[in-house]
Amino acid sequence: MPTATATLSVSFAPSKKPHLSFCPFGATSITLTNFTSPPIRRPMTTSAVSIEKETVISERPHTFLRQTDGEDNGSIRSRFQSMILEMQESVCGALEALDGAGKFKEDAWTRPGGGGGISRVLQDGAVFEKAGVNISVVYGVMPPEAYRAAKASAADQKPGPVPFFAAGISSVLHPKNPFAPSLHFNYRYFETDAPKDTPGAPRQWWFGGGTDLTPAYIFEEDVKHFHSVQKRACDKFDPSFYPRFKKWCDDYFFIKHRGKRRGLGGIFFDDLNDYDQEMLLSFATECADSVVPAYIPILEKRKDTPFNESQKAWQQLRSGRYVYDRGTTFGLKTGGRIESILVSLPLTARWEYDHKPEEGSEEWKLLDACMNPKDWI
């Protein structure tokens, strides 16, 4: 049986604990982090994460969970799968209603050992140039080196490969109008294997995700609305969440070779497991539910705004920044479903040599905000 492999990398940075992260655009990305060593980065080439090749199917199944997981509808795995399926349906419904002309194309796929996903894409509609909303439920095997490095206790060492489970929803939305911002969101859940004597109790688990806004032009009222919705979702659980996750988002979407952030931020979190599991499931669900009210009102105001060729060209220059995206890069390294991975890319983009907007222009103001993130609310 052919297999796809994911690249495993080890990175070192101060202030955080070991974690593994998941890229849900049709593939799984494993990043292993050890935070007690000097700040260097190097690839680990001795092992790889094994993921079975996908098979496209004509109809979506009732569940992508393995039979042993699907028997417990109260498990976190089952409830998270239900959440992302419901979110995909509700977001796609809201986007189709707003677009008025475009319809989502759906592809479903499975893997022989369990798991699969649904890719949904609306392309060249009345409002959206391209909109992708994907979900995936993935089973794989983690090499023992990764497990040992991620575990703080030397007494709990696994001699062989460690099975893992990952589920998530990921979306990138690119409107046609340059005054309507692009949006990215993803929410995910990850587990390693459960002890045999304690079914359903994961050895390691965490949540991750976030929602971020990438406009070509700044309308301060739009950005304030977007961030206000994110803050309300966070404040329902912990008032420290929004400032903490807002800064995390600003840092995460920093494009190093450009010296700028991709957009105007939002929230982002990863490796979140230091709260009650039920609370974090509710938090991830609340964040997911906030996507439509945070974004759709902005599009309703901006989708029909008149624009000229120069403004469209600027939007395409900004869309080119989506080609540099961690999720896309990770996905391409895993041997996952390429069409699902590349959903995040815009239908059109533009690159100009040494393009510099005039100082004080609206385009310049956007770049300044991307270089110098601010508190919008």
Side-chain angles (χ1 to χ4, degrees):
M1 178 183 299
T3 61
T5 59
T7 297
L8 181 69
S9 65
V10 182
S11 60
F12 301 89
S15 80
K16 286 185 177 291
K17 58 187 178 181
H19 75 276
L20 299 166
S21 62
F22 167 60
C23 167
F25 259 128
T28 300
S29 166
I30 304 299
T31 303
L32 177 63
T33 312
N34 181 330
F35 296 96
T36 60
S37 300
I40 61 174
R41 177 180 289 268
R42 60 180 176 268
M44 176 185 287
T45 57
T46 56
S47 300
V49 177
S50 176
I51 305 174
E52 293 174 306
K53 194 68 176 174
E54 75 282 343
T55 301
V56 176
I57 54 179
S58 58
E59 294 184 8
R60 65 161 70 187
H62 173 69
T63 179
F64 291 107
L65 296 173
R66 288 174 175 166
Q67 187 174 2
T68 52
D69 292 334
E71 290 172 354
D72 182 6
N73 292 329
S75 70
I76 296 293
R77 292 184 181 191
S78 179
R79 290 154 63 197
F80 194 86
Q81 178 190 239
S82 296
M83 185 274 279
I84 61 177
L85 284 168
E86 291 169 7
M87 185 187 183
Q88 185 184 46
E89 198 67 29
S90 64
V91 169
C92 289
L95 298 179
E96 281 190 351
L98 180 71
D99 192 276
K103 298 293 182 183
F104 278 92
K105 174 186 176 181
E106 178 176 300
D107 290 329
W109 48 274
T110 61
R111 289 197 170 106
I118 300 170
S119 300
R120 301 188 73 176
V121 183
L122 187 159
Q123 191 164 282
D124 203 18
V127 172
F128 292 101
E129 178 180 287
K130 192 176 181 185
V133 187
N134 293 354
I135 67 102
S136 60
V137 175
V138 177
Y139 296 85
V141 177
M142 194 188 315
E145 293 90 341
Y147 185 84
R148 284 195 294 271
K151 292 293 291 180
S153 172
D156 191 13
Q157 302 278 329
K158 293 285 287 185
V162 180
F164 70 86
F165 167 87
I169 181 168
S170 191
S171 173
V172 178
L173 311 174
H174 295 291
K176 288 185 170 181
N177 194 303
F179 296 112
S182 292
L183 184 84
H184 161 261
F185 69 84
N186 77 84
Y187 292 96
R188 54 194 181 270
Y189 175 67
F190 196 104
E191 289 183 5
T192 60
D193 72 330
K196 291 182 179 180
D197 58 345
T198 315
R203 288 188 182 275
Q204 299 285 344
W205 59 265
W206 56 90
F207 292 85
T211 306
D212 62 282
L213 195 70
T214 305
Y217 291 92
I218 297 177
F219 292 92
E220 193 157 325
E221 63 187 277
D222 295 351
V223 185
K224 287 182 176 180
H225 164 78
F226 175 79
H227 277 271
S228 294
V229 175
Q230 307 309 308
K231 186 177 185 300
R232 283 198 298 271
C234 291
D235 286 351
K236 290 181 180 180
F237 297 86
D238 190 318
S240 72
F241 277 4
Y242 174 74
R244 175 184 168 192
F245 299 156
K246 192 264 186 191
K247 183 181 185 306
W248 203 338
C249 185
D250 288 337
D251 294 342
Y252 184 82
F253 291 106
F254 181 76
I255 303 174
K256 291 182 179 180
H257 62 270
R258 295 284 185 181
K260 304 176 183 68
R261 285 143 191 89
R262 188 173 72 184
L264 301 185
I267 59 171
F268 176 84
F269 56 91
D270 203 2
D271 190 33
L272 201 61
N273 62 3
D274 49 354
Y275 295 82
D276 177 75
Q277 195 175 28
E278 290 290 336
M279 179 268 219
L280 291 178
L281 175 61
S282 297
F283 172 61
T285 302
E286 182 71 26
C287 291
D289 288 343
S290 74
V291 168
V292 169
Y295 187 53
I296 295 298
I298 298 174
L299 291 188
E300 289 174 336
K301 285 193 294 184
R302 308 301 173 193
K303 64 184 178 66
D304 297 318
T305 303
F307 62 88
N308 58 38
E309 290 184 7
S310 175
Q311 290 161 338
K312 182 63 180 179
W314 172 247
Q315 180 198 36
Q316 290 173 325
L317 280 169
R318 298 306 303 164
S319 294
R321 302 298 184 262
Y322 261 94
V323 175
Y324 179 81
D325 178 82
R326 291 188 188 188
T328 302
T329 303
F330 287 162
L332 291 173
K333 291 180 178 180
T334 65
R337 188 169 187 267
I338 296 300
E339 291 300 320
S340 297
I341 296 166
L342 297 183
V343 162
S344 63
L345 301 185
L347 195 60
T348 64
R350 184 184 183 97
W351 291 266
E352 292 183 18
Y353 178 75
D354 198 27
H355 183 274
K356 295 178 181 177
E358 181 182 352
E359 186 171 347
S361 66
E362 294 303 312
E363 293 82 2
W364 180 90
K365 290 177 183 177
L366 175 74
L367 293 187
D368 183 67
C370 291
M371 287 188 287
N372 303 292
K374 59 182 287 187
D375 293 328
W376 294 99
I377 53 176

